[in-house]
């Protein structure tokens, strides 16, 4: 792979961004113990911990204010093992049950140490966020949703209740939403930004980090940034943390590493998710792993009644249990149905007020619907008749949708909601990033630590390694928890002499 030092006037590309050599730095404009790139979920949590541990901490943010994608989010965080809210709402949970589920949710290739730490310390992490002043109601939200509009807290946010997850781990709700109506991520991040300042970390906004600075021993000793158009050089005596988000906004990187995500027409992120942090780390010798993985979301619920419908592909065949989390369903639409999917509903379950999908066809009979969708003769009719036959008995032997979502589709007219790529919204989030220890130290391809370099949040290949198994709340949960560990590790690291 060829490398570029700076892209000049070019937009962000896909190549590693080489570090500057320390002897090329004529002057340091600022000197701090810990320098954090990005003031979002991971960077904020890291800054609080580093500053509280006594490190002189600078957190640099390219926008006029910190917050990142987390500030746009629903603010759901995946906590379990017996949080105060779980107990108050009457749900029993244990570290073992949580671990059994998170092992599945994190997916193939996940780091067992991250899973262990995340689950064993989940109650402590929840209390840490609460101690920042973030309020949570002792209430359970029972509907199937991804972003409840109420200020309720506890909810199922992944595949906990669905086949085969429910067979392998006792289902317990673990998504925790702060006590704010609508999207609560802005509130969550305001509290984190406030705590960053209270801890004594210094925040520099409107400042875009462009490259790392490395000394002759290979240690990362600082960064170069653009502050209001002027170059500045900041020395980091103990470490630099890359916490600058993922790469969903960088189409060159998607084309190179994660082409499935090019099917997404909506970024789960901000323009800051341009992959620059990952490319800076690669240029300094850290390995980028898991780069093809990401979350592909199709918002087929709410309304939850749509789960009574069935997904079919271009051949009129089902391909997924429709009660799966929207990330699992979205992944299947792209990878199993080749991007051609319809949600078949009848008049009793179609919710015009909430559905975001266009109608591909509306007909009075299965046969007419099949013709309108240009499917092979008899295919959709057979699928619907077989599904209805079993649904009447409360069974779904093919995909094991839970009995509570089984009901024969027999109230005409029948509609096909258009879930095809290019005709509906697919939202994407990258899960690939730099290889690192759970405590943040960046790793090269031979497993050695890149001295002075730390990584957290979506800049890292973190807790979750597969989009099709992911549960809502695991990204901010991962970013804040492992951001904290990185902040502490940097504060305790040997200082440059
Ligand atoms: C609408 C929406 C809803 C979501 N809902 C949830 C949810 O409920 N639960 C959940 O777990 N996840 C959710 N997510 C995903 C989650 O918000 C992100 O995955 C998470 O914030 C990642 O944390 P991070 O610290 O890596 O990145 P961010 O929180 O995005 O922070 C990265 C920061 O780095 C800054 N930055 C980037 N490049 C530079 C640079 N070169 N120099 C300086 N600063 C830089 C960015 O501006 C940004 O502020 C949602 C996302 C969106 C968009």
């Amino acid at each position: 792979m060829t490398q570029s030092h700076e892209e000049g006037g070019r937009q962000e590309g896909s190549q590693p961004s080489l570090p500057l050599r320390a002897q090329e730095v004529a002057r340091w404009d600022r000197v701090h113990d810990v320098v954090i790139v990005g003031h979002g979920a991971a960077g904020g949590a890291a800054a609080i911990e580093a500053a509280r541990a006594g490190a002189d901490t600078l957190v640099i943010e390219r926008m006029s204010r910190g917050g990142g994608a987390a500030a746009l989010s629903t603010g759901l965080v995946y906590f379990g093992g017996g949080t105060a809210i779980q107990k108050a709402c009457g749900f029993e949970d244990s570290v073992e049950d949580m671990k059994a589920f998170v092992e599945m949710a994190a997916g193939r290739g996940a780091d067992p140490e991250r899973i262990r730490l995340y689950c064993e310390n989940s109650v402590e992490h929840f209390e840490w966020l609460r101690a920042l002043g973030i309020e949570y109601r002792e209430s359970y939200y029972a509907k199937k949703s991804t972003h409840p509009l109420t200020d309720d807290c506890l909810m199922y946010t992944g595949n906990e209740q669905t086949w085969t997850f429910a067979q392998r781990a006792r289902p317990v709700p673990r998504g925790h939403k702060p006590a704010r109506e609508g999207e609560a991520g802005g509130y969550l991040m305001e509290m984190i930004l406030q705590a960053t300042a209270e801890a004594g970390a210094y925040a520099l906004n409107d400042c875009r980090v462009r490259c790392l600075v490395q000394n002759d021993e290979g240690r990362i000793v600082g960064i170069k940034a653009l502050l209001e158009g002027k170059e500045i050089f900041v020395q980091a005596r103990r470490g630099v943390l890359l916490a600058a988000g993922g790469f969903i906004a960088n189409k060159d990187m998607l084309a190179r590493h994660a082409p499935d995500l090019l099917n997404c027409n909506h970024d789960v992120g901000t323009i800051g998710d341009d992959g620059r942090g990952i490319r800076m780390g690669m240029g300094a010798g850290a390995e980028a792993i898991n780069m093809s993985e990401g979350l592909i979301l199709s918002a087929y619920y709410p309304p939850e009644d749509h789960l009574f419908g069935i997904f079919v592909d271009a051949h009129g065949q089902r391909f997924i249990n429709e009660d799966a989390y929207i990330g699992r369903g979205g992944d299947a639409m792209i990878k199993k149905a080749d991007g051609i999917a319809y949600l078949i509903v009848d008049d009793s379950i179609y919710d015009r007020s909430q559905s975001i999908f266009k109608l591909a066809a509306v007909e009075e009979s299965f046969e007419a619907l099949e013709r309108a969708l240009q499917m092979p003769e008899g295919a959709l009719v057979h699928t619907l008749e077989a599904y209805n036959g079993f649904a009447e008995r409360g069974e779904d032997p093919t995909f094991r949708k839970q009995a509570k979502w089984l009901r024969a589709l027999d109230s005409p007219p029948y509609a096909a909601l258009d879930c095809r790529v290019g005709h509906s919204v697919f939202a994407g989030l990258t899960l690939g990033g730099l290889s690192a220890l759970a405590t943040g130290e960046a790793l090269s391809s031979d497993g050695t630590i890149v001295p002075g370099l730390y990584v957290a949040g979506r800049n890292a290949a973190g807790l979750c390694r597969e989009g099709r198994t992911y549960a809502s709340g695991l990204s901010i949960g991962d970013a804040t928890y492992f951001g904290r560990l990185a902040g502490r590790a940097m504060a305790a690291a040997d200082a440059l002499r």
Side-chain angles (χ1 to χ4, degrees):
M1 191 185 283
T2 52
Q3 298 188 331
S4 70
H5 173 61
E6 276 280 314
E7 277 70 30
R10 236 189 98 201
Q11 279 301 301
E12 299 290 334
S14 65
Q15 295 166 355
S17 163
L18 282 183
L20 259 187
R21 290 157 57 93
Q23 59 262 44
E24 290 175 50
V25 176
R27 58 167 207 287
W28 292 110
D29 298 289
R30 308 180 67 102
V31 179
H32 295 268
D33 288 331
V34 166
V35 174
I36 296 171
V37 184
H39 203 174
I48 294 167
E49 289 289 48
R52 284 182 181 175
D56 170 10
T57 302
L58 174 72
V59 53
I60 302 178
E61 171 55 48
R62 64 177 270 177
M63 307 290 185
S64 299
R65 187 159 172 72
L72 305 179
S73 78
T74 308
L76 281 161
V77 180
Y78 207 83
F79 295 115
T83 66
I85 306 289
Q86 287 179 314
K87 286 181 183 158
C89 295
F91 290 98
E92 235 181 73
D93 196 9
S94 68
V95 171
E96 290 67 38
D97 284 335
M98 181 182 183
K99 210 159 151 260
F101 178 76
V102 173
E103 273 166 3
M104 288 184 275
R108 291 168 299 184
D111 175 1
E113 180 64 356
R114 280 182 193 264
I115 294 171
R116 183 186 70 77
L117 286 166
Y118 188 79
C119 297
E120 287 181 359
N121 297 297
S122 186
V123 170
E124 182 274 336
H125 187 45
F126 174 64
E127 292 302 336
W128 184 85
L129 278 176
R130 274 224 293 199
L132 302 184
I134 300 168
E135 296 164 7
Y136 291 91
R137 268 190 65 197
E138 291 181 349
S139 62
Y140 170 59
Y141 186 83
K143 285 194 169 173
K144 182 98 171 164
S145 178
T146 48
H147 50 278
L149 299 177
T150 68
D151 61 356
D152 291 307
C153 177
L154 193 62
M155 59 185 287
Y156 285 99
T157 57
N159 291 294
E160 296 88 345
Q161 297 173 296
T162 69
W163 192 78
T164 62
F165 296 80
Q167 280 62 44
R168 294 187 280 162
R170 203 168 58 82
V172 181
R174 301 194 182 91
H176 288 61
K177 185 186 169 216
R180 288 294 179 276
E181 288 180 356
E183 308 299 327
Y187 163 67
L188 178 106
M189 283 312 300
E190 279 308 315
M191 300 305 280
I192 287 181
L193 298 187
Q194 194 179 307
T196 308
E198 282 166 9
Y202 187 77
L204 195 57
N205 294 328
D206 291 315
C207 183
R208 189 163 169 180
V209 176
R210 299 303 291 162
C211 69
L212 297 168
V213 180
Q214 197 164 29
N215 70 14
D216 283 345
E217 286 87 57
R219 176 168 175 155
I220 298 303
V221 294
I223 58 96
K224 179 179 98 171
L226 284 178
L227 176 62
E228 291 161 7
K230 288 203 193 96
E231 277 187 355
I232 63 161
F233 298 87
V234 183
Q235 190 181 45
R237 283 190 300 243
R238 294 182 193 273
V240 171
L241 174 70
L242 295 173
F247 61 95
I248 194 65
N250 182 324
K251 303 308 165 200
D252 289 345
M253 282 182 83
L254 293 184
R256 187 174 202 115
H257 299 289
D260 281 335
L261 293 174
L262 287 172
N263 287 305
C264 297
N265 48 12
H266 184 83
D267 296 347
V268 183
T270 71
I271 54 163
D273 289 289
D274 63 5
R276 164 68 58 162
I278 295 171
R279 296 191 305 108
M280 288 192 289
M282 289 163 79
E287 188 184 15
I289 59 171
N290 206 44
M291 292 292 279
S292 62
E293 267 302 323
L295 181 63
I296 298 171
L297 299 162
S298 165
Y300 49 86
Y301 65 81
E304 65 173 14
D305 273 3
H306 282 180
L307 303 189
F308 288 111
I310 61 169
F311 278 118
V312 293
D313 63 13
H315 313 289
Q317 307 300 312
R318 284 177 77 204
F319 53 88
I320 184 84
N321 48 325
E322 293 80 7
D323 57 353
Y325 171 62
I326 53 168
R328 190 165 179 76
D331 185 270
M333 288 182 207
I334 304 284
K335 294 179 188 162
K336 287 183 162 185
D338 273 340
I340 302 176
Y342 302 98
L343 182 63
I344 309 295
V345 295
D346 71 3
D347 198 47
S348 72
I349 60 171
Y350 174 50
D351 186 340
R352 290 159 188 80
S353 66
Q354 286 196 61
S355 175
I356 63 164
F357 296 99
K358 286 183 266 184
L359 294 169
V362 184
E363 299 290 346
E364 290 297 322
S365 69
F366 295 167
E367 289 78 4
L369 194 65
E370 180 183 276
R371 276 195 302 277
L373 296 172
Q374 297 178 340
M375 288 175 174
E377 195 180 333
L380 180 64
V381 173
H382 174 78
T383 298
L384 279 161
E385 285 176 354
Y387 174 81
N388 279 354
F390 284 112
E392 276 161 12
R393 304 206 295 268
E395 292 170 18
D396 175 19
T398 324
F399 289 103
R400 316 278 183 97
K401 183 157 67 164
Q402 296 164 84
K404 69 177 174 182
W405 301 118
L406 293 172
R407 186 201 293 171
L409 299 171
D410 55 9
S411 305
Y414 305 103
L417 306 192
D418 197 343
C419 308
R420 289 175 297 166
V421 168
H423 296 258
S424 64
V425 173
F426 282 88
L429 170 81
T430 56
L431 292 175
L434 299 170
S435 174
L437 297 179
T439 39
E441 291 90 343
L443 296 173
S444 61
S445 56
D446 63 7
T448 55
I449 287 172
V450 180
L453 187 63
Y454 296 77
V455 57
R458 299 285 60 79
N459 264 184
L463 182 68
C464 278
R465 298 288 168 89
E466 275 194 283
R468 71 194 182 109
T469 49
Y470 178 89
S472 259
L474 282 171
S475 188
I476 297 177
D478 167 50
T480 51
Y481 178 69
F482 293 102
R484 287 178 61 200
L485 298 198
R488 282 194 232 147
M490 286 188 293
D494 290 337
L496 277 175
R497 269 172 284 136

